Structures are given as C-alpha cells and as structure tokens.
Amino acid sequence: MCGISGLIGKDKYFPTKKRINECINLMKRRGPDNQSFKKIEKKMSYLLCSSRLSIIDLNERSNQPLEDENGVLVFNGEIYNYLEIKNELKKKGIKFKTNSDTEVLLKFLDYEGEENLFKLDGMWAFAYFSKRRDKLILSRDKFGEKPLFYYHNIKKGILFFGSNINYIKKLSDKKIDINQDKILNFLRNNFRGVFFNNTTFHKDIYFVNPGTNLIINKNLVIQKKRYWVKSKYNPTTKNFKFASKKLKTNVKNEFLKSFRSDTKVAFLLSGGIDSSVILSISKNMKNKKKFYSIKTKSKKYDESENINTLIKKFKLTHEYITLDKNSNFNMLDAFINETGFPLMSSTYLAFGNLCKKIKKDKFKVLISGNGGDEIFSGYYAHHMSYLVSIEKNKDFNLKYKEWHDNTKPFIRNPVLKNFMEYKKITKGKFPTQYEKDDYSKFFKKNSKIKKLENKIYSKDKFINNLDKDLFEDSIPAQLHSIDNISMYYSIESRAPFLSKNLFDFRNTLKKNFLIRNGIAKFILRDAFKKEIPLKIINNKEKTGFYLPLDETLNFRSKKIQNLILNNSVTKKYLKRDVIKNKINDETLSHQDEKFLFALLNISLFLKHYKR
C-alpha cells in the first residue's frame, strides 16, 4: 500500500524540485516507510512519485518507483494472488529479485500487458511507464477500492495524476475551482449523488473509473479501455446444496489470499454475518491478529451481545473502542483538509476512531466486511426490490408473507415497510432513490440541480438494485471514505468480499438462494452455519455499522451551527430556517441526520477549498 502521484507533459511545465518534494512530503501519510521519485525524459517528460507503506517484502529492495529493463512502476494496493501469478511467470523463464507483489505486477505488465489485468485479484491504483511503447498507463482495480485522480490540460500539454487530489494541486501549482454541481448533487442525493460519474468536488479533476486503464501516449492523447467486462446475471446454478458448498469453498479461497501480509493484521468485528464469516476463516492464520469493535450507547445499533458471543467462542484478542465526540470535529476537519473530499457518513468518524487506535497498536493491515451486503443482498431495500422483481410469480403472496413475518418487524424506514409505497416512489426511477424526497424540503424552490443518470445494470430489478449499490452508490461511497481515513493513519484497508470470482459466482445463483424464507443473505448463512454460532446465523435484523449524529459530534454547538448556516451554499440554495429548526430538533430522522452531516462536510470543504 502506497501513495502515488506524477505527470506526463512538456518539460517547460515540469514542477520544480521544491514542489516535487513538497508533494512527496504530503504523501507520507499514505506511505511513511519510504518516499522517492523518478524523472524520465523522452519526447515528453514523465514523473513517477511514490510513498511506501511496507506490507509485502519489507526489505528496501521493494521500494518504489520499481524499475526493470522494460518499464517503471509506482503502485498503490495489493495483488492478492501474486504468488500464483509469480509461479506462472517463472514457468515462462521470468526471474525475480524481490519477494514483493509490486515486482510481480511490474513483470506482469512487461510480459502480459495491461489488457490482461482481469487475471489479477486484488486492489490497485498504479502508473506504469512502458519503455518499449513510450506510453504511460494509469489503472484502477475492478471495484475501485483504491482511488486515482487525474487532471488533463491538452492545450498546455500536461497530465497530472495522484492518489489524492491535493497531490495534483501541489504538483500543478494550479488554483482549481470547486465543482458546484457535485456539491448540490451530494446534498440533494446524499452519497448517491457523488459516484454516479467520474467528476469530483474540484472542477477538471476526475476519477479514473474502476476496472479501467487510461493509456496516454507521447502526444498526450488518452485512450480509455476497460480491462474487465462484468459478467451478466445468468442463474444456471439451480441445486442449492451444491451452490452453498461451492460458495463456502470459494469464499475461503478468496479470503485466505486477501489475508496475505508480512505484518500483523487487524480485523473489524461488527457481530453481523459478514465479519463473522471473515473471523471464521481467519482462525488458522499464522499472523498476529487482533479484532476491534465500536462500543455504542445507542440500543438501535448495539451489537455487543453478538460480538461478545464471538469473542467467547473464538477466544479472540479483542478491544472495544469508544468515541470521543469532543475531538471528532477536529478529526473531520483534518480529513477534509487532507483529502479534498467530504466524508459520506457520520459512521466514518467511528471508523476514524478505530483506525487511530489500530495505528497506535502498530497494525498496518485492516480487514473489513464491506461488499458482503451488496453482493449477497443484505439491505432491507434489496428485499423490497426482490419482491418487486417477483410480483408476477405464482408464489409472490407466500414470499410477501415471509418478508412480512420475518423481516418487516425490524425495519425502521417507513417506505421500506410499505411495499406499495416503495413501488410508487421507485417506479421509473432509481431503485435506490426511495429517500430522495426526504432531502428536498431543505432546498429553495429556485435551486436547479442536474438530474442523475439512471444507469441500468440488469433487466432484473433485484439484481439491478444489488449492482447499482455495488458499482455506483453504496460501495463507492464506503470505499472512498474508508481509504481516505485508513490511509490518513497509514493503514491499508482490505475488503475481501469484493472479489471478481465471488461476483461472477453470485451471478449464477437463483434469486431465491440469496433471499429465502424472508431472510437476507440466506446462502451465505447456510454455507457457514457450522462455523458461526447459530444465534448470529439466525439473526434476522440488519443492524448496520452506524452511530447517531449526536453520539459522534457536539452537533448543536454554536461553532457547528454557524458553519452550517452561514456558508455560501446554504445562503444561496437552502432554507436556513428549516435547517436551523432541524438542528434544534432532538428527534431527528435518520435521513435528516444524513443531510445535516453532509451539509457540515460541505461547510468544512468550502472553508478549505473555496477561493
């Protein structure tokens, strides 16, 4: 895991050595163990900068930029199947000088090419200069776990890239305006209004799309190529027992590769199915490990009973972390200033407290269960879209009754408790936009906001909902905040559920393998029912990793109220009286909390980045 940055461009626009060093100094949080850069002079000049967090092959021989006779690489991430890929390359006569996954990636690009990146399991953002082709390749992993941004000015003849927007701003020495449309979409649609396209909160700075390579030639022409074509939903696996057994094998194989590390490993433990599955597979790891959980005061989100069951059964080294909400405001302010990006939820302040403690305990790797809900259907909204997708089936009334009896009693959102209301709100719209109207009351009538594009991922409404969360809404928002925070504390966060092989396997399963008897993630529960306490396997409530706003911040303080009510966006686009009343309302809805936290983030963002 590292930070990367650099450029390709005309030499007259090349940054001074002072600016390069200032950029590398900014990058130390992402990679405190080594910082270096390399300049390559051809028709265009190239700069590749790296800051290393040593995890695989801790020897300095694996520091970056890593170079051989064919190319130069700076790489942020981990290639989970690097040992398997290395063995394949060795059979072809390719020799290695290190034990790192970085060198495996370098040799793979030298001899297999960027078009074959679909063969790699893992997470990455990298820049690779091909000496033979005189081209720069920027690439991002399939699910977008690792961030990669770029700024392209074809008229001036230069392109900058980086793991962090501030690296680009430092190297370019350019004042970049804020993106007002992105701000308004975030406030109007919450996290769902951020990752539907590759624009950012800064004008002219873009994400490299997940699963995509940017190939930049010596004339600065960019060719965008997807190296991963997602499999389509095709439910050919019809024997449930066979599917459950195969899923267990697949999950174990994928997860064990993702646990590889030459350092000790930390795990998040929530008490739900996903983190319990990860725990059950980690029990035979040789690495020193420790488990961490958030301790909440809210009865709605308290999973300590399940967590304590797991601690006792598996005899875990474990620690609960409590929040210090007095320091969380400064933490939030620092995150936004450091990354140039808002946090997507107040939950990530809890995650920040976890990472702060994990860093203090000298862990470099953190494993989480992100992606399990989106691949195997874990949210109450997924259950609603499942019912919509089978409404014309003969057994619909039975499936509805199973949902009514087993899941509905735990649902708090009124729309998700009412099948007809959900259908009405989402008909012809996004399947995930059932909350949208909750935010409209805060906007003035003349506020013009660009509509989001309604992308269709599958003709099946249920699978479409899962994939929309996986590739556009929920997961991109989670991954971006998680990466920003974990790397702020020099910790690599991994999400083993985000696996191409697991996604492909899911696409072969009948829908009623995922939801059965009114219970979500049914096949995953069945696959691990002998590994995990039945109390957790049979728990039908989706608690979720969330903390109420009042538990994370002194939200009603004058300092925060002034920030929220007196920034330029609030004054121009929002109803200040409605916002003020909501701040002082002690019975805020979940949606109101989400809006107010988003507005606080935008207020801090404007403080740091509005010129």
Side-chain angles (χ1 to χ4, degrees), residues 307 395 436:
I307 292 169
D395 62 349
K436 186 177 179 181

Side-chain angles (χ1 to χ4, degrees), residues 182 185-186 189-201 207 341 344 452 472 477:
K182 184 66 90 175
N185 266 318
F186 177 43
N189 301 282
N190 210 262
F191 66 86
R192 303 185 194 283
V194 178
F195 300 96
F196 66 97
N197 62 23
N198 72 333
T199 62
T200 70
F201 288 88
F207 284 104
F341 230 89
M344 298 293 105
L452 309 188
E472 185 178 330

